[in-house]
Amino acid sequence: MSEETVEKKIILKEEDDYIVNMGPQHPSTHGVLRLEVCLSGETVNYMIPHIGYIHRGIEKMAESDTYKQVIHLTDRMDYLSSHINNEAVCLAVEEALGVEVPERVQYIRAILDELTRIASHNLWWSAFGMDLGALTTFFYGMRDREKILSIFEESFGSRLLHSFNTPGGLLHDVHPDFRKHTLEYVKYFRKKLPDYKNLLTDNVIFHNRTIGIGVMDKKMAINYGVTGPSGRGSGFSCDIRKAAPYGIYDKVKFKEILYHEGDSFARYKVRMDEMVESLNILEQLVDNMPEEGGFTAKMKPVIKLPEGEYYQRVETARGELGVYIVSKGAKYPYRIKFRSPNFSNLFVLNTLSKGGIIADLVAICGSLDLVIPDIDR
Amino acid sequence: MILDIYSFSTLTSSIDNSLHNMMSPWMATLTEFVLVGIVFLLFYALLGLFLVYLERKVCAVIQNRIGPNRVGRWGIFQTFADFIKLLMKELITIKHADKFLFNLAPFIVIIASFMAMAALPFAKGLQAIDFNIGIFYVIAVSSLGVVGILIAGWSSNSKYSLIGAMRSGAQIISYELSVGLSLLAIVIFSGSMQLSTIVESQADGWWIFKGHIPAFIAFVLYLITATAEINRGPFDLAEAESELTAGFHTEYSGIKFAFFFLAEYMNMFIVSAIAATLFLGGWMPFHIGGWEGFNQIMDYIPSILWFFGKTFVVIYIIMWFKWTFPRLRIDQMLNLEWKYLLPLNLMNTVIISFVVLMGLYFK
Amino acid sequence: MNSTIKYFTDIFKGVLSLWAGMRVTGKYFISPGEIVTEQYPENRATLKMTGRFKGEVIMPHDENNQHKCTGCGICELNCPNGSIEIITKKVPNEEGKMIRAIDKHIYHLSMCTFCELCIKTCPFDAITWGQDFEHAVFDRAKLTKVLNKPGSSLKKKEVKS
Ligand code: SF4
Ligand code: SF4
């Protein structure tokens, strides 16, 4: 064996490390994520995430599905922002075909995007509170999220995985009461927000648990590709809705929420402010939504993309979702690759939690808002 | 022998007398021991189950839910059903666990909380033993439970349990100080450690009113530290389910788990009962000096009701804490104790001594 | 001195913020009208699913036990996970010619992902969503359903005026 080819072993763990296994079944990992945590006392020395417990091979499955069928698979990646995932594929296909979708569809899609975002942040708020031991937040968050889900159910018939988008538009029109109920919801939720503030945002224990915990600076966020609210909490301006507007977003007035502290509390604040911002967007959109215009563009029954590569990115509730489609001109995609936000967001966890204690690890993990099926796909 | 709901002394002394008439003195004492033990055991189990039910109902209403409502009307038999379920569950034996200690731990925990009950004055003349150092006894006995928790964590051969137990150890050692100091406030006020004397001293007004600001501060401090001592509310680090799955009782199952569970709730009852006895007048009715008519109406309410009423108010406050706040981190919790609660407590003790010396409280 | 003042203001602010939180939970505690629990098996009678609810795929039959499915198999083609199997048979029509007709429209509820593609693509609107949501069974085989009822036949196309 020559000098150059000497095998170099990277030692991940020592023999006598005190390893605690968090997961795959653990209350604070919110899914089947396994964290191998090395402790000394309560201090975390390092942490190795193990993923793949819920790998379903969505990308491979998508290769034998038509473009319309791919949609329902994307639902099952980040199940909390299923509508936005759908939209990413639809936008990519529409872009490839050069189809112009009616403005009304764009409005509806954006409204649903924002509703999805609020619902997702709402669930995250509940779960984050629960991670930190405030169990009541879970029920308040769920209670308010339920209202959005009812709006969804009324229009699409399902609450979580609604496969409502289709290349070219929507599967069918929204319910006649959709606009009324959305406005009602906006009013309702604005009334509930002070509770959220009093219960958690202003709480001194919560401050102690999150401020200065898991500080991620802007450079680190960019290096790891941490996007979404987690990235924006570090001052990384990465909102796709602003950077590369899709759909109706270039016509909507809204702020990109940026915080520069980079700690768990900053990430928390970004999401809380984003909910308010989403409410503002909703009010703008719902009022201006055109009544006429149908719900789908004219599409051929069998969609065949011209040969080439297509990339579309959207802003899900957790960050940048990229869809990369390679087409060979058939009705099936040759290859689909999803750049999922959670995959990148997960791997910053080790760096952030190093040196903290277990309770911090839980807080950081919660503040990154991971959805495990999106990591594994 | 009539049952006088206003004073149990006639009842207890008549039982005592008849026993003494029937048998030799030591036999009578033995029978009394057994009787009291059985009564307490029953009371303990029933109250524990009721508290579990109460907690579930209270948290449900706080969280906009209904809570248990399937077994019996309003679900009152839910905890009994759960208890039966726990009885029938398999007792899982843990590989490489220290069998003896593992089995011993739940008993230590439950005995510690059981013993503390002996000194509680439930009503006029209803108290198993009236020590002259009652407060001291209760503090001493109730802190025994941590030994059980430590043993449980150590013997179950699980890392989660061990971390939980260590946390609990650190927590109780530090909070014991503040609990003692905040109770000292009332000892200074009343000049006695005997629980019956303390209750008598509140005949004309509860200490929380008579002792005004310092007594109120002591009361709040006691509530916080006592919550920490019983591993509840925002201080439930020993079980911290989002971090350690279930902390020290991760590996326990079946009835042994039920023991921990019951002991936790009974501890809550005991600290609330102490708070009620010391600060809120125990079984003493609510009296306002000078309002004779009002005082008489208050006297019509039996003393046992007063005691339980006050205790449940305190229990509700403790539950309210738990269902509102996020959990503290272990280092923050120790900080809170050593940097805030202990200095405040010491300061308060000095102030109280001053107040008592100068006679600045309402007599 | 400043640090002493800060020490006490910290305590004061902390207690205030805690009190704010307790006010929220306390408010909900004394207003039981806010309870949102659905008492499910009891409210079966009043529980209304929205009209578009995706419970399961069903094939509506009219009073003559007739449906609209021709057995074309388009739904089977469009289902992304093979939840639908179409078994056809040959039956003679009025002129005596053998034509294809549906024998069994097999629907595997256990595999369905409720993507609605079959319903959307059916050229004859033969299938639609059913509102039933109580699908729990002890035997997985029970989730495989035959959608066309036994003895049913194809509905004649009404002549458009
Ligand atoms: S249900 Fe519709 S699509 Fe399916 S076989 Fe029948 S007619 Fe064809
Ligand atoms: S809803 Fe989708 S998955 Fe279900 S049977 Fe129809 S096409 Fe198949």
Side-chain angles (χ1 to χ4, degrees), chain A residues 19 21 42 131-132 136 143, chain B residues 64 160 167 242 323 327:
Chain A
I19 304 275
N21 242 324
E42 290 236 358
D131 281 350
L132 299 180
T136 303
R143 176 194 67 198
Chain B
N64 294 344
Y160 285 129
R167 280 183 177 184
S242 63
W323 296 105
R327 185 181 304 115

Side-chain angles (χ1 to χ4, degrees), chain C residues 59 67-76 78 84 86 88 102 105 118-119 121-127 147 154:
Chain C
M59 186 180 287
H67 55 72
K68 291 195 251 173
C69 175
T70 59
C72 65
I74 288 181
C75 53
E76 185 182 15
N78 270 288
I84 293 180
I86 305 287
T88 53
I102 188 87
H105 187 296
C118 51
I119 291 168
T121 52
C122 174
F124 305 99
D125 287 339
I127 42 178
L147 292 190
L154 179 62

Side-chain angles (χ1 to χ4, degrees), chain A residues 18-22 26-28 39 42 130-136 139-140 143 199-200 203 205 208-209 213 357-360 362, chain B residues 59 61-65 158-160 162-164 167 233-234 236 241-245 322-332:
Chain A
Y18 189 76
I19 304 275
V20 171
N21 242 324
M22 282 173 87
H26 190 276
S28 74
L39 300 174
E42 290 236 358
M130 206 174 60
D131 281 350
L132 299 180
L135 294 163
T136 303
F139 292 91
Y140 291 173
R143 176 194 67 198
L199 209 54
L200 218 52
N203 191 300
I205 302 175
N208 281 332
R209 285 296 302 275
I213 304 300
I357 65 176
I358 309 179
D360 291 344
V362 172
Chain B
C59 86
V61 178
I62 282 181
Q63 296 166 346
N64 294 344
R65 297 184 286 120
S158 154
K159 288 165 180 172
Y160 285 129
L162 187 59
I163 296 174
R167 280 183 177 184
D236 54 350
E241 82 285 333
S242 63
E243 295 152 30
L244 304 177
T245 54
K322 163 151 185 171
W323 296 105
T324 307
F325 300 138
R327 185 181 304 115
L328 276 86
R329 219 169 59 192
I330 182 73
D331 55 331
Q332 285 161 358

Side-chain angles (χ1 to χ4, degrees), chain A residues 68-69 72 76 140 143 153-158 162 171-175 192 195 198-199 202-204, chain C residues 14 17-18 20-21 24 27-28 34 36 49-50 52-54 77-81 113 115-117 120:
Chain A
K68 280 186 179 172
Q69 291 174 341
H72 91 290
R76 275 123 186 120
Y140 291 173
R143 176 194 67 198
E153 188 188 336
E154 183 186 58
S155 277
F156 330 140
S158 51
H162 18 78
L171 270 185
H172 39 75
D173 207 351
V174 289
H175 197 269
K192 291 290 177 196
D195 281 0
N198 287 333
L199 209 54
D202 283 350
N203 191 300
V204 62
Chain C
S17 80
L18 295 181
V24 175
K27 185 182 83 196
Y28 284 113
E34 303 253 358
V36 291
M49 304 315 288
T50 52
R52 298 180 178 183
F53 179 70
K54 298 175 180 175
L77 269 178
N78 270 288
C79 181
N81 40 35
T113 51
C115 65
E116 212 176 326
L117 287 178
K120 269 287 168 195

